[in-house]
Every structure is written in C-alpha cells, then in structure tokens.
Amino acid sequence: EIQALDVNFRQAEINDLLAALNIKQGQRIIDQVPPEPARVPQALEYFNAALQQNPNDSTALSEARLAVNFIAGQEAIEHHRAGHRQLH
C-alpha cells in the first residue's frame, strides 16, 4: 500500500528481498530429494526473475548458469539418443 503511494519507497530493499525469495524458490527445486530434473527449467525461471530484480546477484547468476548448462546437457543427450535410435 505504501509502495502504491510512492513507487520509489524502499525499492532497492524490496528488489533485494524479491530476488532472495526467487533464489530460494529455485534452490528448493534444485535441492529437492529425490531430484526432479524435469523441474530445472522452472528453477531457471526463478533465477531469471531474481536477476531481473537484482542483475548483479552472484548467486542468481551462478545458479542460472548451472541450470542453463544442465538443460543444454539434457537436450544434447536427448538429441544424441534420438539420432542413435534412427540409425537402428
């Protein structure tokens, strides 16, 4: 409500809190036991949201890079398997 009256009211603090919340949500998905690799893209969305709120957050940057690399690796494996199936 206060923020609606003054859009600049504690904006940096709010952005930091939102970024931290998004990082935690993404990390919960990544750290889930048992792991759910299919949910890594959802975790990446949280990390990207954190980066929109705080573009220099080193944790969000690191987690996003790891998620992107994991997704790329999964896609490469699937592509390889699909090509291998076509040969047989």
Side-chain angles (χ1 to χ4, degrees):
E1 200 173 293
I2 292 172
Q3 191 178 7
L5 298 173
D6 181 2
V7 293
N8 295 320
F9 180 77
R10 300 173 77 176
Q11 193 62 49
E13 184 179 345
I14 291 167
N15 284 345
D16 287 345
L17 290 171
L18 287 171
L21 178 63
N22 279 309
I23 291 168
K24 280 276 189 230
Q25 289 292 95
Q27 287 174 329
R28 277 196 186 120
I29 292 169
I30 298 299
D31 295 338
Q32 193 168 353
V33 175
E36 291 189 45
R39 292 190 64 205
V40 173
Q42 182 184 7
L44 179 58
E45 289 177 21
Y46 283 114
F47 300 137
N48 285 337
L51 288 169
Q52 286 179 345
Q53 285 129 6
N54 189 351
N56 297 319
D57 189 290
S58 61
T59 301
L61 283 167
S62 177
E63 294 284 8
R65 280 191 199 118
L66 289 169
V68 165
N69 288 336
F70 179 85
I71 293 166
Q74 277 192 317
E75 289 172 354
I77 289 169
E78 286 303 314
H79 180 73
H80 176 75
R81 286 180 180 160
H84 188 68
R85 281 191 291 259
Q86 289 175 355
L87 294 174
H88 289 85

